[in-house]
Tab-separated table of all heavy atoms in Angstrom:
chain	number	residue	atom	x	y	z
A	83	VAL	N	-1.250	-10.291	12.600
A	83	VAL	CA	-2.171	-11.405	12.321
A	83	VAL	C	-1.735	-12.707	12.997
A	83	VAL	O	-2.524	-13.629	13.093
A	83	VAL	CB	-2.392	-11.633	10.809
A	83	VAL	CG1	-2.990	-10.402	10.171
A	83	VAL	CG2	-1.142	-12.069	10.108
A	84	HIS	N	-0.502	-12.763	13.472
A	84	HIS	CA	-0.037	-13.973	14.157
A	84	HIS	C	-0.228	-13.899	15.672
A	84	HIS	O	0.158	-14.809	16.387
A	84	HIS	CB	1.433	-14.262	13.814
A	84	HIS	CG	1.583	-14.887	12.477
A	84	HIS	ND1	1.929	-14.161	11.366
A	84	HIS	CD2	1.405	-16.161	12.061
A	84	HIS	CE1	1.967	-14.974	10.316
A	84	HIS	NE2	1.642	-16.177	10.709
A	85	ARG	N	-0.818	-12.834	16.175
A	85	ARG	CA	-1.116	-12.743	17.604
A	85	ARG	C	-2.625	-12.590	17.776
A	85	ARG	O	-3.368	-12.526	16.801
A	85	ARG	CB	-0.356	-11.588	18.247
A	85	ARG	CG	-0.795	-10.214	17.791
A	85	ARG	CD	-0.101	-9.107	18.593
A	85	ARG	NE	-0.585	-7.822	18.209
A	85	ARG	CZ	0.100	-6.937	17.488
A	85	ARG	NH1	1.319	-7.215	17.089
A	85	ARG	NH2	-0.430	-5.780	17.174
A	86	ARG	N	-3.078	-12.516	19.011
A	86	ARG	CA	-4.499	-12.313	19.304
A	86	ARG	C	-4.726	-10.901	19.811
A	86	ARG	O	-3.955	-10.393	20.612
A	86	ARG	CB	-4.973	-13.302	20.380
A	86	ARG	CG	-4.946	-14.733	19.940
A	86	ARG	CD	-6.090	-15.008	19.020
A	86	ARG	NE	-6.240	-16.449	18.837
A	86	ARG	CZ	-7.252	-16.987	18.250
A	86	ARG	NH1	-8.215	-16.239	17.782
A	86	ARG	NH2	-7.318	-18.289	18.095
A	87	GLY	N	-5.780	-10.265	19.341
A	87	GLY	CA	-6.125	-8.923	19.793
A	87	GLY	C	-5.330	-7.854	19.086
A	87	GLY	O	-4.500	-8.128	18.228
A	88	ASN	N	-5.576	-6.610	19.475
A	88	ASN	CA	-4.939	-5.500	18.776
A	88	ASN	C	-3.591	-5.103	19.373
A	88	ASN	O	-2.900	-4.264	18.813
A	88	ASN	CB	-5.873	-4.287	18.702
A	88	ASN	CG	-6.189	-3.706	20.054
A	88	ASN	OD1	-6.004	-4.349	21.076
A	88	ASN	ND2	-6.698	-2.492	20.057
A	89	GLY	N	-3.181	-5.703	20.484
A	89	GLY	CA	-1.881	-5.384	21.066
A	89	GLY	C	-1.772	-3.900	21.366
A	89	GLY	O	-2.630	-3.324	22.021
A	90	LYS	N	-0.721	-3.268	20.867
A	90	LYS	CA	-0.516	-1.830	21.112
A	90	LYS	C	-1.200	-0.950	20.074
A	90	LYS	O	-1.145	0.272	20.178
A	90	LYS	CB	0.981	-1.535	21.137
A	90	LYS	CG	1.674	-2.163	22.321
A	90	LYS	CD	3.131	-1.787	22.358
A	90	LYS	CE	3.813	-2.427	23.555
A	90	LYS	NZ	5.224	-2.080	23.636
A	91	LEU	N	-1.828	-1.551	19.081
A	91	LEU	CA	-2.548	-0.758	18.081
A	91	LEU	C	-3.789	-0.154	18.724
A	91	LEU	O	-4.624	-0.855	19.266
A	91	LEU	CB	-2.980	-1.632	16.898
A	91	LEU	CG	-1.886	-2.145	15.992
A	91	LEU	CD1	-2.467	-3.111	14.980
A	91	LEU	CD2	-1.225	-0.987	15.276
A	92	ARG	N	-3.909	1.150	18.658
A	92	ARG	CA	-5.044	1.824	19.288
A	92	ARG	C	-6.085	2.290	18.277
A	92	ARG	O	-7.179	2.642	18.631
A	92	ARG	CB	-4.560	3.039	20.099
A	92	ARG	CG	-3.637	2.660	21.210
A	92	ARG	CD	-4.403	1.913	22.293
A	92	ARG	NE	-3.489	1.503	23.344
A	92	ARG	CZ	-3.307	0.252	23.713
A	92	ARG	NH1	-3.970	-0.717	23.118
A	92	ARG	NH2	-2.483	-0.042	24.668
A	93	HIS	N	-5.738	2.309	17.021
A	93	HIS	CA	-6.632	2.909	16.037
A	93	HIS	C	-6.964	1.951	14.896
A	93	HIS	O	-7.461	2.362	13.874
A	93	HIS	CB	-6.006	4.186	15.468
A	93	HIS	CG	-4.558	4.013	15.132
A	93	HIS	ND1	-4.125	3.364	14.016
A	93	HIS	CD2	-3.453	4.361	15.833
A	93	HIS	CE1	-2.809	3.345	14.012
A	93	HIS	NE2	-2.371	3.938	15.098
A	94	VAL	N	-6.696	0.668	15.082
A	94	VAL	CA	-6.975	-0.294	14.023
A	94	VAL	C	-8.468	-0.636	14.013
A	94	VAL	O	-9.112	-0.691	15.066
A	94	VAL	CB	-6.108	-1.566	14.189
A	94	VAL	CG1	-6.535	-2.371	15.393
A	94	VAL	CG2	-6.155	-2.425	12.940
A	95	ASN	N	-9.002	-0.819	12.818
A	95	ASN	CA	-10.395	-1.218	12.664
A	95	ASN	C	-10.532	-2.669	13.111
A	95	ASN	O	-9.896	-3.561	12.562
A	95	ASN	CB	-10.805	-1.057	11.197
A	95	ASN	CG	-12.268	-1.318	10.976
A	95	ASN	OD1	-12.964	-1.883	11.817
A	95	ASN	ND2	-12.743	-0.904	9.816
A	96	ILE	N	-11.329	-2.919	14.099
A	96	ILE	CA	-11.480	-4.266	14.662
A	96	ILE	C	-11.949	-5.265	13.602
A	96	ILE	O	-11.650	-6.449	13.679
A	96	ILE	CB	-12.425	-4.246	15.888
A	96	ILE	CG1	-12.281	-5.514	16.724
A	96	ILE	CG2	-13.861	-4.057	15.473
A	96	ILE	CD1	-11.013	-5.580	17.508
Side-chain angles (χ1 to χ4, degrees):
V83 299
H84 282 99
R85 67 174 184 253
R86 294 285 193 170
N88 65 342
K90 293 183 180 180
L91 291 174
R92 298 290 178 239
H93 44 77
V94 70
N95 186 345
I96 197 73

